[in-house]
Amino acid sequence: MRTTVRQAGRATAHLLVAAAMAFGMYLFITVLLITAVGTLAVIGAWLLPETVLLVRRIAGAKRRLTAAWTGREIPEAYRSIDGPLTERLRTAVRDPGTRTDLRWMLAYYGYGALIVLALPLWPLGLVVDGVGCGLLHRRAVVLPWIERLADLEARWSTALLRPSPQALLAARVEQLTATRADAVAAHGAELRRIERDLHDGAQARLVSLSMRIGLAKRAYDRDPDAARKLLDDAQEQAEEALAELRDVVRGIHPPILTDRGLTGAVRALAAGWGSPRSGEPERGGGLRVTVDVDGLADEGPRAPAAVEAAGYFVVAEALTNVAKHSGSPTAAVRLVRTMRGLRVVVADEGRGGVDESAGSGLLGVRRRVAALDGTVRVSSPAGGPTVIEVELPCVW
């Protein structure tokens, strides 16, 4: 009986919130009428996009309320309302999501008040079910109907607020357009970085190397010792140029990924961070990194090269952020093979409070992952811990 009462109470609370929202929707009719009159009079046409945005917020609140009851998220699919007024008006009118929200709103004026059917069941249920469960040890009969009413309200809301296939397709096209633009921008930035590294690093050293070899050739006959010293300097310049070229190559696609796969490459990266010379000089010690692998065997099937490269760079960027900003002496990396792709998780016990707009490198991570249709989730409350979780879809 106690469990039945608790469930009925939770269902009643859900229906009360739904009824309060429905009451607010009755008041919202005034806004809809003002918008309709202003749009027909042309002079108030600017109200239409703003009203549609407000309706989206109300529908979003209802989606969250329904998801809290059912445990299943209801997706949103809207076109962005921006640009000049004419473009905003065209998007607001033609967006399938607008019609979906208005259809739900009209229906909600009716079924949003199901609480009026639930409240009379309480006194009847406490008497009937109290006697039946407490004295006769039978199952509750009346109070479960309150939970059924809440389920009914949630089913109707889910059916009415679920985006149409047309809206989902439009949202998907818009998302792919944005990710394509980000991928092109990231690719351009990467090319400029490679050009800058080659121009300022390896190219400058090769020019210096050529000059030293020329000086050594001219000094060879008259001053062999000076020529030998110039050749020694030229050899050092050549070794430094090779080292910088290797760094550039690793920045494009680390050779260790090809040789050892993602698991071996990440373990080598973690071992490198364990060395004091890998981190910041003022830390006085290396970052201790643990690597946990689930479902990825060294000799088993591998993810596509682009997915492995993205996973490797996610780990490298995240560990760099840990070393520079978190203050944590340890970090944990987890690589998981899932049914639909690869999951990469990097966690630390540092100070948290990651600010993605402060040049933490996470914007580059998001662009690289979005280019592969992946997702990035960052959890970093003040005081820590910080967890970066990346999902990269692929076929094994």
Side-chain angles (χ1 to χ4, degrees), residues 281-301:
E282 61 269 17
R283 281 210 318 263
L287 177 68
R288 297 190 300 277
V289 182
T290 60
V291 179
D292 181 24
V293 179
D294 184 6
L296 291 173
D298 294 336
E299 302 298 330

Side-chain angles (χ1 to χ4, degrees), residues 290-326:
T290 60
V291 179
D292 181 24
V293 179
D294 184 6
L296 291 173
D298 294 336
E299 302 298 330
R302 292 174 53 174
V307 172
E308 286 193 338
Y312 179 85
F313 283 112
V314 166
V315 174
E317 184 62 42
L319 292 181
T320 300
N321 286 342
V322 173
K324 287 184 177 179
H325 307 296
S326 75

Side-chain angles (χ1 to χ4, degrees), residues 191-238:
L191 289 178
R192 290 190 295 271
R193 181 192 67 80
I194 294 172
E195 180 183 8
R196 184 175 60 251
D197 290 345
L198 290 174
H199 181 273
D200 298 341
Q203 179 177 316
R205 293 192 182 279
L206 290 174
V207 171
S208 177
L209 170 64
S210 177
M211 294 175 61
R212 289 178 186 276
I213 292 176
L215 291 173
K217 288 172 63 178
R218 286 194 292 270
Y220 184 77
D221 292 331
R222 67 176 184 274
D223 191 352
D225 292 336
R228 187 177 297 108
K229 185 177 184 305
L230 288 171
L231 289 174
D232 291 339
D233 292 341
Q235 184 179 8
E236 292 179 2
Q237 291 283 342

Side-chain angles (χ1 to χ4, degrees), residues 55-387:
V55 171
R56 288 182 179 184
R57 296 190 189 98
I58 296 173
K62 182 57 183 175
R63 286 186 178 94
R64 291 189 293 273
L65 176 64
T66 304
W69 174 257
T70 63
R72 296 185 299 273
E73 296 291 333
I74 304 175
E76 292 185 355
Y78 295 120
R79 297 176 183 174
S80 299
I81 298 180
D82 49 24
L85 178 59
T86 55
E87 182 66 24
R88 289 163 58 86
L89 285 170
R90 188 180 299 109
T91 303
V93 172
R94 295 182 178 180
D95 185 7
T98 302
R99 295 189 291 272
T100 298
D101 290 347
L102 290 178
R103 182 183 60 198
W104 161 76
M105 186 176 292
L106 291 175
Y108 198 59
Y109 287 137
Y111 78 87
L114 284 176
I115 187 66
V116 300
L117 300 179
L119 290 179
L121 295 177
W122 270 102
L124 179 63
L126 291 176
V127 174
V128 175
D129 293 338
V131 173
C133 296
L135 299 179
L136 304 178
H137 302 289
R138 295 179 178 177
R139 297 178 60 182
V141 176
V142 179
L143 290 180
W145 277 99
I146 301 177
E147 188 174 0
R148 295 189 184 101
L149 287 173
D151 290 338
L152 179 64
E153 192 276 341
R155 283 198 301 271
W156 284 347
S157 296
T158 300
L160 290 169
L161 287 172
R162 185 184 294 115
S164 65
Q166 180 184 2
L168 291 173
L169 178 60
R172 181 60 174 164
V173 170
E174 186 173 346
Q175 178 189 7
L176 290 177
T177 302
T179 56
R180 184 184 63 180
D182 287 342
V184 171
H187 180 67
E190 188 72 7
L191 289 178
R192 290 190 295 271
R193 181 192 67 80
I194 294 172
E195 180 183 8
R196 184 175 60 251
D197 290 345
L198 290 174
H199 181 273
D200 298 341
Q203 179 177 316
R205 293 192 182 279
L206 290 174
V207 171
S208 177
L209 170 64
S210 177
M211 294 175 61
R212 289 178 186 276
I213 292 176
L215 291 173
K217 288 172 63 178
R218 286 194 292 270
Y220 184 77
D221 292 331
R222 67 176 184 274
D223 191 352
D225 292 336
R228 187 177 297 108
K229 185 177 184 305
L230 288 171
L231 289 174
D232 291 339
D233 292 341
Q235 184 179 8
E236 292 179 2
Q237 291 283 342
E239 292 174 353
E240 291 175 357
L242 285 174
E244 291 189 355
L245 285 173
R246 292 191 191 98
D247 291 339
V248 173
V249 170
R250 281 195 293 269
I252 300 172
H253 186 87
I256 193 172
L257 272 176
T258 304
D259 299 336
R260 299 173 57 183
L262 179 62
T263 302
V266 168
R267 283 174 175 161
L269 182 64
W273 273 106
S275 170
R277 63 178 178 272
S278 299
E280 299 292 331
E282 61 269 17
R283 281 210 318 263
L287 177 68
R288 297 190 300 277
V289 182
T290 60
V291 179
D292 181 24
V293 179
D294 184 6
L296 291 173
D298 294 336
E299 302 298 330
R302 292 174 53 174
V307 172
E308 286 193 338
Y312 179 85
F313 283 112
V314 166
V315 174
E317 184 62 42
L319 292 181
T320 300
N321 286 342
V322 173
K324 287 184 177 179
H325 307 296
S326 75
S328 174
T330 61
V333 178
R334 181 173 172 80
L335 306 175
V336 182
R337 174 181 173 177
T338 64
M339 292 291 293
R340 297 184 177 180
L342 173 70
R343 180 182 301 125
V344 180
V345 183
V346 182
D348 68 78
E349 299 293 333
R351 61 177 62 94
V354 170
D355 183 6
E356 297 190 33
S357 63
S360 62
L362 286 176
L363 178 59
V365 169
R366 288 190 181 277
R367 283 180 171 176
R368 184 183 290 271
V369 172
L372 298 175
D373 205 21
T375 58
V376 179
R377 290 184 292 273
V378 179
S379 173
S380 183
T386 296
V387 180

